mmCIF file of all heavy atoms in Angstrom:
data_model
loop_
_atom_site.group_PDB
_atom_site.id
_atom_site.type_symbol
_atom_site.label_atom_id
_atom_site.label_comp_id
_atom_site.label_asym_id
_atom_site.label_seq_id
_atom_site.Cartn_x
_atom_site.Cartn_y
_atom_site.Cartn_z
ATOM 1 N N LEU M 1 -5.533 2.092 -7.657
ATOM 2 C CA LEU M 1 -5.775 1.190 -6.553
ATOM 3 C C LEU M 1 -6.412 1.839 -5.337
ATOM 4 O O LEU M 1 -6.980 1.189 -4.490
ATOM 5 C CB LEU M 1 -4.475 0.515 -6.109
ATOM 6 C CG LEU M 1 -3.875 -0.492 -7.081
ATOM 7 C CD1 LEU M 1 -2.499 -0.913 -6.571
ATOM 8 C CD2 LEU M 1 -4.759 -1.690 -7.243
ATOM 9 N N VAL M 2 -6.328 3.152 -5.272
ATOM 10 C CA VAL M 2 -6.786 3.881 -4.102
ATOM 11 C C VAL M 2 -8.304 4.040 -4.156
ATOM 12 O O VAL M 2 -8.907 4.241 -5.197
ATOM 13 C CB VAL M 2 -6.089 5.276 -4.059
ATOM 14 C CG1 VAL M 2 -6.701 6.134 -2.978
ATOM 15 C CG2 VAL M 2 -4.612 5.103 -3.835
ATOM 16 N N THR M 3 -8.913 3.953 -2.948
ATOM 17 C CA THR M 3 -10.355 4.150 -2.863
ATOM 18 C C THR M 3 -10.657 5.567 -2.437
ATOM 19 O O THR M 3 -9.768 6.299 -1.985
ATOM 20 C CB THR M 3 -10.955 3.181 -1.827
ATOM 21 O OG1 THR M 3 -10.439 3.550 -0.537
ATOM 22 C CG2 THR M 3 -10.591 1.742 -2.159
ATOM 23 N N LYS M 4 -11.929 5.964 -2.503
ATOM 24 C CA LYS M 4 -12.331 7.290 -2.099
ATOM 25 C C LYS M 4 -12.110 7.484 -0.594
ATOM 26 O O LYS M 4 -11.969 8.587 -0.108
ATOM 27 C CB LYS M 4 -13.784 7.563 -2.421
ATOM 28 C CG LYS M 4 -14.043 7.787 -3.887
ATOM 29 C CD LYS M 4 -15.479 8.125 -4.134
ATOM 30 C CE LYS M 4 -15.736 8.404 -5.569
ATOM 31 N NZ LYS M 4 -17.113 8.799 -5.827
ATOM 32 N N SER M 5 -12.078 6.391 0.148
ATOM 33 C CA SER M 5 -12.007 6.497 1.608
ATOM 34 C C SER M 5 -10.586 6.295 2.185
ATOM 35 O O SER M 5 -10.404 6.195 3.379
ATOM 36 C CB SER M 5 -12.961 5.482 2.264
ATOM 37 O OG SER M 5 -12.596 4.188 1.899
ATOM 38 N N HIS M 6 -9.574 6.232 1.307
ATOM 39 C CA HIS M 6 -8.222 5.896 1.837
ATOM 40 C C HIS M 6 -7.635 6.955 2.748
ATOM 41 O O HIS M 6 -6.706 6.678 3.479
ATOM 42 C CB HIS M 6 -7.277 5.557 0.683
ATOM 43 C CG HIS M 6 -6.752 6.744 -0.077
ATOM 44 N ND1 HIS M 6 -7.479 7.383 -1.019
ATOM 45 C CD2 HIS M 6 -5.559 7.396 0.026
ATOM 46 C CE1 HIS M 6 -6.790 8.398 -1.498
ATOM 47 N NE2 HIS M 6 -5.629 8.435 -0.889
ATOM 48 N N HIS M 7 -8.163 8.183 2.734
ATOM 49 C CA HIS M 7 -7.680 9.201 3.679
ATOM 50 C C HIS M 7 -8.623 9.411 4.833
ATOM 51 O O HIS M 7 -8.418 10.298 5.653
ATOM 52 C CB HIS M 7 -7.519 10.565 2.943
ATOM 53 C CG HIS M 7 -6.322 10.622 2.067
ATOM 54 N ND1 HIS M 7 -5.038 10.491 2.503
ATOM 55 C CD2 HIS M 7 -6.226 10.784 0.698
ATOM 56 C CE1 HIS M 7 -4.185 10.571 1.519
ATOM 57 N NE2 HIS M 7 -4.891 10.779 0.409
ATOM 58 N N GLU M 8 -9.643 8.572 4.983
ATOM 59 C CA GLU M 8 -10.616 8.694 6.069
ATOM 60 C C GLU M 8 -9.993 8.272 7.388
ATOM 61 O O GLU M 8 -9.034 7.472 7.414
ATOM 62 C CB GLU M 8 -11.841 7.826 5.775
ATOM 63 C CG GLU M 8 -12.605 8.265 4.541
ATOM 64 C CD GLU M 8 -13.306 9.602 4.679
ATOM 65 O OE1 GLU M 8 -13.705 9.946 5.832
ATOM 66 O OE2 GLU M 8 -13.401 10.318 3.689
ATOM 67 N N PRO M 9 -10.511 8.761 8.494
ATOM 68 C CA PRO M 9 -10.026 8.349 9.827
ATOM 69 C C PRO M 9 -10.157 6.831 10.029
ATOM 70 O O PRO M 9 -10.910 6.157 9.328
ATOM 71 C CB PRO M 9 -10.898 9.095 10.811
ATOM 72 C CG PRO M 9 -11.561 10.156 10.034
ATOM 73 C CD PRO M 9 -11.585 9.726 8.592
ATOM 74 N N ASP M 10 -9.411 6.285 11.004
ATOM 75 C CA ASP M 10 -9.388 4.854 11.256
ATOM 76 C C ASP M 10 -10.732 4.264 11.577
ATOM 77 O O ASP M 10 -10.952 3.067 11.378
ATOM 78 C CB ASP M 10 -8.412 4.537 12.411
ATOM 79 C CG ASP M 10 -6.967 4.690 11.968
ATOM 80 O OD1 ASP M 10 -6.724 4.636 10.770
ATOM 81 O OD2 ASP M 10 -6.118 4.861 12.869
ATOM 82 N N ASP M 11 -11.689 5.040 12.100
ATOM 83 C CA ASP M 11 -12.974 4.449 12.466
ATOM 84 C C ASP M 11 -13.822 4.128 11.246
ATOM 85 O O ASP M 11 -14.810 3.408 11.330
ATOM 86 C CB ASP M 11 -13.739 5.341 13.456
ATOM 87 C CG ASP M 11 -14.009 6.735 12.900
ATOM 88 O OD1 ASP M 11 -13.254 7.174 11.993
ATOM 89 O OD2 ASP M 11 -14.944 7.390 13.381
ATOM 90 N N ILE M 12 -13.402 4.604 10.100
ATOM 91 C CA ILE M 12 -14.079 4.256 8.839
ATOM 92 C C ILE M 12 -13.489 2.902 8.390
ATOM 93 O O ILE M 12 -12.296 2.690 8.518
ATOM 94 C CB ILE M 12 -13.864 5.332 7.755
ATOM 95 C CG1 ILE M 12 -14.316 6.704 8.241
ATOM 96 C CG2 ILE M 12 -14.530 4.933 6.440
ATOM 97 C CD1 ILE M 12 -15.806 6.825 8.353
ATOM 98 N N SER M 13 -14.300 2.052 7.831
ATOM 99 C CA SER M 13 -13.815 0.740 7.446
ATOM 100 C C SER M 13 -12.872 0.825 6.219
ATOM 101 O O SER M 13 -13.323 1.187 5.128
ATOM 102 C CB SER M 13 -15.021 -0.146 7.091
ATOM 103 O OG SER M 13 -14.551 -1.401 6.623
ATOM 104 N N ILE M 14 -11.630 0.511 6.421
ATOM 105 C CA ILE M 14 -10.627 0.485 5.375
ATOM 106 C C ILE M 14 -9.923 -0.844 5.470
ATOM 107 O O ILE M 14 -9.557 -1.270 6.571
ATOM 108 C CB ILE M 14 -9.601 1.632 5.516
ATOM 109 C CG1 ILE M 14 -10.314 2.964 5.401
ATOM 110 C CG2 ILE M 14 -8.488 1.514 4.470
ATOM 111 C CD1 ILE M 14 -9.403 4.156 5.672
ATOM 112 N N ASP M 15 -9.724 -1.490 4.370
ATOM 113 C CA ASP M 15 -9.070 -2.802 4.393
ATOM 114 C C ASP M 15 -7.554 -2.576 4.414
ATOM 115 O O ASP M 15 -6.873 -2.644 3.390
ATOM 116 C CB ASP M 15 -9.482 -3.639 3.175
ATOM 117 C CG ASP M 15 -8.968 -5.060 3.242
ATOM 118 O OD1 ASP M 15 -8.169 -5.355 4.180
ATOM 119 O OD2 ASP M 15 -9.373 -5.841 2.388
ATOM 120 N N ARG M 16 -7.009 -2.254 5.565
ATOM 121 C CA ARG M 16 -5.568 -1.965 5.712
ATOM 122 C C ARG M 16 -4.732 -3.215 5.434
ATOM 123 O O ARG M 16 -3.614 -3.098 4.889
ATOM 124 C CB ARG M 16 -5.271 -1.400 7.085
ATOM 125 C CG ARG M 16 -5.925 -0.031 7.301
ATOM 126 C CD ARG M 16 -5.329 0.675 8.477
ATOM 127 N NE ARG M 16 -6.031 1.898 8.748
ATOM 128 C CZ ARG M 16 -5.905 3.024 8.056
ATOM 129 N NH1 ARG M 16 -5.035 3.082 7.077
ATOM 130 N NH2 ARG M 16 -6.576 4.114 8.376
ATOM 131 N N GLU M 17 -5.219 -4.387 5.768
ATOM 132 C CA GLU M 17 -4.442 -5.611 5.505
ATOM 133 C C GLU M 17 -4.281 -5.826 4.011
ATOM 134 O O GLU M 17 -3.196 -6.165 3.543
ATOM 135 C CB GLU M 17 -5.135 -6.811 6.165
ATOM 136 C CG GLU M 17 -4.415 -8.129 5.965
ATOM 137 C CD GLU M 17 -2.957 -8.126 6.462
ATOM 138 O OE1 GLU M 17 -2.629 -7.366 7.392
ATOM 139 O OE2 GLU M 17 -2.152 -8.882 5.914
ATOM 140 N N ASN M 18 -5.327 -5.593 3.249
ATOM 141 C CA ASN M 18 -5.233 -5.732 1.819
ATOM 142 C C ASN M 18 -4.259 -4.716 1.220
ATOM 143 O O ASN M 18 -3.470 -5.046 0.352
ATOM 144 C CB ASN M 18 -6.637 -5.603 1.169
ATOM 145 C CG ASN M 18 -6.612 -5.968 -0.297
ATOM 146 O OD1 ASN M 18 -5.887 -6.901 -0.707
ATOM 147 N ND2 ASN M 18 -7.365 -5.255 -1.096
ATOM 148 N N THR M 19 -4.314 -3.489 1.712
ATOM 149 C CA THR M 19 -3.383 -2.452 1.288
ATOM 150 C C THR M 19 -1.958 -2.846 1.590
ATOM 151 O O THR M 19 -1.056 -2.708 0.763
ATOM 152 C CB THR M 19 -3.738 -1.110 1.916
ATOM 153 O OG1 THR M 19 -5.100 -0.777 1.600
ATOM 154 C CG2 THR M 19 -2.828 -0.020 1.449
ATOM 155 N N ARG M 20 -1.721 -3.377 2.770
ATOM 156 C CA ARG M 20 -0.391 -3.829 3.196
ATOM 157 C C ARG M 20 0.099 -4.943 2.263
ATOM 158 O O ARG M 20 1.232 -4.926 1.795
ATOM 159 C CB ARG M 20 -0.376 -4.300 4.644
ATOM 160 C CG ARG M 20 1.037 -4.622 5.173
ATOM 161 C CD ARG M 20 0.971 -5.252 6.542
ATOM 162 N NE ARG M 20 0.425 -6.603 6.518
ATOM 163 C CZ ARG M 20 1.068 -7.673 6.049
ATOM 164 N NH1 ARG M 20 2.290 -7.557 5.586
ATOM 165 N NH2 ARG M 20 0.524 -8.864 6.063
ATOM 166 N N ARG M 21 -0.783 -5.902 1.946
ATOM 167 C CA ARG M 21 -0.392 -7.008 1.073
ATOM 168 C C ARG M 21 -0.047 -6.498 -0.315
ATOM 169 O O ARG M 21 0.910 -6.941 -0.933
ATOM 170 C CB ARG M 21 -1.554 -8.047 0.962
ATOM 171 C CG ARG M 21 -1.587 -9.014 2.116
ATOM 172 C CD ARG M 21 -2.482 -10.208 1.776
ATOM 173 N NE ARG M 21 -3.796 -9.881 1.319
ATOM 174 C CZ ARG M 21 -4.850 -9.572 2.082
ATOM 175 N NH1 ARG M 21 -4.718 -9.638 3.394
ATOM 176 N NH2 ARG M 21 -6.009 -9.311 1.558
ATOM 177 N N MET M 22 -0.795 -5.507 -0.829
ATOM 178 C CA MET M 22 -0.506 -4.923 -2.147
ATOM 179 C C MET M 22 0.862 -4.263 -2.152
ATOM 180 O O MET M 22 1.600 -4.334 -3.118
ATOM 181 C CB MET M 22 -1.570 -3.919 -2.554
ATOM 182 C CG MET M 22 -2.846 -4.543 -3.066
ATOM 183 S SD MET M 22 -3.984 -3.353 -3.802
ATOM 184 C CE MET M 22 -4.384 -2.332 -2.442
ATOM 185 N N SER M 23 1.203 -3.618 -1.023
ATOM 186 C CA SER M 23 2.479 -2.895 -0.980
ATOM 187 C C SER M 23 3.659 -3.861 -0.866
ATOM 188 O O SER M 23 4.772 -3.485 -1.142
ATOM 189 C CB SER M 23 2.506 -1.884 0.173
ATOM 190 O OG SER M 23 2.600 -2.547 1.424
ATOM 191 N N LEU M 24 3.427 -5.098 -0.425
ATOM 192 C CA LEU M 24 4.505 -6.056 -0.237
ATOM 193 C C LEU M 24 4.552 -7.161 -1.297
ATOM 194 O O LEU M 24 5.510 -7.939 -1.308
ATOM 195 C CB LEU M 24 4.381 -6.714 1.139
ATOM 196 C CG LEU M 24 4.499 -5.769 2.344
ATOM 197 C CD1 LEU M 24 4.209 -6.531 3.648
ATOM 198 C CD2 LEU M 24 5.854 -5.122 2.388
ATOM 199 N N CYS M 25 3.561 -7.243 -2.155
ATOM 200 C CA CYS M 25 3.549 -8.324 -3.160
ATOM 201 C C CYS M 25 4.708 -8.125 -4.135
ATOM 202 O O CYS M 25 5.192 -7.026 -4.331
ATOM 203 C CB CYS M 25 2.209 -8.411 -3.876
ATOM 204 S SG CYS M 25 1.924 -7.092 -5.069
ATOM 205 N N LYS M 26 5.167 -9.205 -4.738
ATOM 206 C CA LYS M 26 6.367 -9.156 -5.583
ATOM 207 C C LYS M 26 6.204 -8.257 -6.790
ATOM 208 O O LYS M 26 7.177 -7.714 -7.277
ATOM 209 C CB LYS M 26 6.775 -10.579 -6.007
ATOM 210 C CG LYS M 26 5.824 -11.254 -6.957
ATOM 211 C CD LYS M 26 6.343 -12.623 -7.316
ATOM 212 C CE LYS M 26 5.380 -13.262 -8.321
ATOM 213 N NZ LYS M 26 5.820 -14.573 -8.756
ATOM 214 N N GLU M 27 4.967 -8.030 -7.272
ATOM 215 C CA GLU M 27 4.777 -7.173 -8.430
ATOM 216 C C GLU M 27 5.001 -5.698 -8.080
ATOM 217 O O GLU M 27 5.270 -4.906 -8.962
ATOM 218 C CB GLU M 27 3.335 -7.331 -8.986
ATOM 219 C CG GLU M 27 3.139 -8.655 -9.750
ATOM 220 C CD GLU M 27 2.819 -9.806 -8.800
ATOM 221 O OE1 GLU M 27 2.566 -9.574 -7.601
ATOM 222 O OE2 GLU M 27 2.844 -10.955 -9.275
ATOM 223 N N SER M 28 4.877 -5.343 -6.803
ATOM 224 C CA SER M 28 5.055 -3.921 -6.454
ATOM 225 C C SER M 28 6.402 -3.669 -5.799
ATOM 226 O O SER M 28 6.675 -2.561 -5.325
ATOM 227 C CB SER M 28 3.928 -3.435 -5.577
ATOM 228 O OG SER M 28 3.822 -4.220 -4.415
ATOM 229 N N VAL M 29 7.275 -4.677 -5.759
ATOM 230 C CA VAL M 29 8.611 -4.511 -5.190
ATOM 231 C C VAL M 29 9.627 -4.453 -6.321
ATOM 232 O O VAL M 29 9.606 -5.241 -7.239
ATOM 233 C CB VAL M 29 8.952 -5.685 -4.209
ATOM 234 C CG1 VAL M 29 10.376 -5.626 -3.724
ATOM 235 C CG2 VAL M 29 8.009 -5.667 -3.040
ATOM 236 N N ASN M 30 10.500 -3.444 -6.269
ATOM 237 C CA ASN M 30 11.530 -3.281 -7.269
ATOM 238 C C ASN M 30 12.442 -4.505 -7.247
ATOM 239 O O ASN M 30 12.988 -4.859 -6.205
ATOM 240 C CB ASN M 30 12.349 -2.015 -6.983
ATOM 241 C CG ASN M 30 13.360 -1.722 -8.013
ATOM 242 O OD1 ASN M 30 14.213 -2.541 -8.311
ATOM 243 N ND2 ASN M 30 13.267 -0.548 -8.609
ATOM 244 N N PRO M 31 12.640 -5.217 -8.394
ATOM 245 C CA PRO M 31 13.410 -6.434 -8.402
ATOM 246 C C PRO M 31 14.884 -6.245 -8.097
ATOM 247 O O PRO M 31 15.587 -7.163 -7.710
ATOM 248 C CB PRO M 31 13.202 -6.963 -9.833
ATOM 249 C CG PRO M 31 12.793 -5.802 -10.640
ATOM 250 C CD PRO M 31 12.081 -4.876 -9.706
ATOM 251 N N TRP M 32 15.391 -4.998 -8.290
ATOM 252 C CA TRP M 32 16.816 -4.730 -8.045
ATOM 253 C C TRP M 32 17.093 -4.258 -6.644
ATOM 254 O O TRP M 32 18.116 -4.603 -6.072
ATOM 255 C CB TRP M 32 17.356 -3.715 -9.058
ATOM 256 C CG TRP M 32 17.271 -4.249 -10.457
ATOM 257 C CD1 TRP M 32 18.105 -5.116 -11.077
ATOM 258 C CD2 TRP M 32 16.232 -3.958 -11.419
ATOM 259 N NE1 TRP M 32 17.670 -5.414 -12.344
ATOM 260 C CE2 TRP M 32 16.533 -4.708 -12.593
ATOM 261 C CE3 TRP M 32 15.118 -3.146 -11.403
ATOM 262 C CZ2 TRP M 32 15.763 -4.639 -13.706
ATOM 263 C CZ3 TRP M 32 14.334 -3.094 -12.530
ATOM 264 C CH2 TRP M 32 14.651 -3.840 -13.674
ATOM 265 N N THR M 33 16.216 -3.472 -6.117
ATOM 266 C CA THR M 33 16.463 -2.914 -4.780
ATOM 267 C C THR M 33 15.680 -3.567 -3.671
ATOM 268 O O THR M 33 16.019 -3.453 -2.514
ATOM 269 C CB THR M 33 16.091 -1.406 -4.748
ATOM 270 O OG1 THR M 33 14.700 -1.266 -4.937
ATOM 271 C CG2 THR M 33 16.861 -0.634 -5.799
ATOM 272 N N GLY M 34 14.601 -4.302 -4.044
ATOM 273 C CA GLY M 34 13.737 -4.925 -3.051
ATOM 274 C C GLY M 34 12.833 -3.914 -2.339
ATOM 275 O O GLY M 34 12.089 -4.296 -1.454
ATOM 276 N N ALA M 35 12.888 -2.671 -2.757
ATOM 277 C CA ALA M 35 12.076 -1.612 -2.125
ATOM 278 C C ALA M 35 10.664 -1.620 -2.715
ATOM 279 O O ALA M 35 10.507 -1.871 -3.908
ATOM 280 C CB ALA M 35 12.724 -0.246 -2.321
ATOM 281 N N SER M 36 9.710 -1.334 -1.896
ATOM 282 C CA SER M 36 8.329 -1.242 -2.344
ATOM 283 C C SER M 36 8.159 -0.052 -3.287
ATOM 284 O O SER M 36 8.658 1.037 -2.999
ATOM 285 C CB SER M 36 7.347 -1.072 -1.184
ATOM 286 O OG SER M 36 6.058 -0.777 -1.658
ATOM 287 N N GLN M 37 7.502 -0.300 -4.422
ATOM 288 C CA GLN M 37 7.226 0.782 -5.346
ATOM 289 C C GLN M 37 5.828 1.312 -5.118
ATOM 290 O O GLN M 37 5.381 2.270 -5.736
ATOM 291 C CB GLN M 37 7.374 0.324 -6.800
ATOM 292 C CG GLN M 37 8.805 -0.029 -7.109
ATOM 293 C CD GLN M 37 8.981 -0.555 -8.509
ATOM 294 O OE1 GLN M 37 8.045 -1.095 -9.085
ATOM 295 N NE2 GLN M 37 10.150 -0.407 -9.044
ATOM 296 N N PHE M 38 5.077 0.671 -4.247
ATOM 297 C CA PHE M 38 3.704 1.071 -3.938
ATOM 298 C C PHE M 38 3.645 2.326 -3.099
ATOM 299 O O PHE M 38 2.906 3.219 -3.334
ATOM 300 C CB PHE M 38 2.958 -0.078 -3.294
ATOM 301 C CG PHE M 38 1.508 0.193 -3.055
ATOM 302 C CD1 PHE M 38 0.624 0.140 -4.148
ATOM 303 C CD2 PHE M 38 0.997 0.484 -1.813
ATOM 304 C CE1 PHE M 38 -0.740 0.392 -3.941
ATOM 305 C CE2 PHE M 38 -0.323 0.715 -1.621
ATOM 306 C CZ PHE M 38 -1.187 0.655 -2.711
ATOM 307 N N LEU M 39 4.506 2.373 -2.092
ATOM 308 C CA LEU M 39 4.557 3.537 -1.221
ATOM 309 C C LEU M 39 5.977 3.983 -1.087
ATOM 310 O O LEU M 39 6.824 3.283 -0.560
ATOM 311 C CB LEU M 39 4.004 3.163 0.181
ATOM 312 C CG LEU M 39 2.565 2.737 0.279
ATOM 313 C CD1 LEU M 39 2.233 2.221 1.653
ATOM 314 C CD2 LEU M 39 1.630 3.864 -0.108
ATOM 315 N N PRO M 40 6.323 5.212 -1.553
ATOM 316 C CA PRO M 40 7.693 5.696 -1.408
ATOM 317 C C PRO M 40 8.028 5.857 0.081
ATOM 318 O O PRO M 40 7.201 6.331 0.837
ATOM 319 C CB PRO M 40 7.740 6.994 -2.169
ATOM 320 C CG PRO M 40 6.327 7.436 -2.230
ATOM 321 C CD PRO M 40 5.484 6.202 -2.204
ATOM 322 N N THR M 41 9.223 5.501 0.438
ATOM 323 C CA THR M 41 9.564 5.596 1.849
ATOM 324 C C THR M 41 9.992 7.002 2.211
ATOM 325 O O THR M 41 10.515 7.752 1.369
ATOM 326 C CB THR M 41 10.700 4.622 2.198
ATOM 327 O OG1 THR M 41 11.852 5.038 1.458
ATOM 328 C CG2 THR M 41 10.367 3.196 1.839
ATOM 329 N N THR M 42 9.798 7.352 3.444
ATOM 330 C CA THR M 42 10.213 8.668 3.964
ATOM 331 C C THR M 42 11.713 8.792 3.763
ATOM 332 O O THR M 42 12.215 9.862 3.408
ATOM 333 C CB THR M 42 9.830 8.788 5.427
ATOM 334 O OG1 THR M 42 8.449 8.609 5.558
ATOM 335 C CG2 THR M 42 10.238 10.121 6.007
ATOM 336 N N ASN M 43 12.439 7.704 3.996
ATOM 337 C CA ASN M 43 13.904 7.755 3.843
ATOM 338 C C ASN M 43 14.297 8.176 2.424
ATOM 339 O O ASN M 43 15.224 8.982 2.253
ATOM 340 C CB ASN M 43 14.501 6.383 4.203
ATOM 341 C CG ASN M 43 15.963 6.445 4.352
ATOM 342 O OD1 ASN M 43 16.528 7.451 4.788
ATOM 343 N ND2 ASN M 43 16.659 5.356 4.032
#
């Protein structure tokens, strides 16, 4: 799912809203814990 530009600075056009939606959609959330499986949390 990652693009070549996902590590680029903010002034480069990155669809952050789309990335946020992917990380919160029900397919990427663990059904037992409710935690996102798209991005591991710092915690």
Side-chain angles (χ1 to χ4, degrees):
L1 290 173
V2 173
T3 65
K4 287 184 177 181
S5 62
H6 77 280
H7 285 298
E8 297 291 328
D10 287 339
D11 58 337
I12 304 290
S13 176
I14 297 174
D15 188 352
R16 294 196 186 281
E17 180 57 28
N18 189 37
T19 301
R20 187 188 69 74
R21 278 195 309 275
M22 283 190 295
S23 71
L24 297 175
C25 73
K26 68 179 182 179
E27 287 83 12
S28 57
V29 173
N30 185 302
W32 297 282
T33 65
S36 171
Q37 294 177 334
F38 185 75
L39 298 173
T41 64
T42 302
N43 192 32

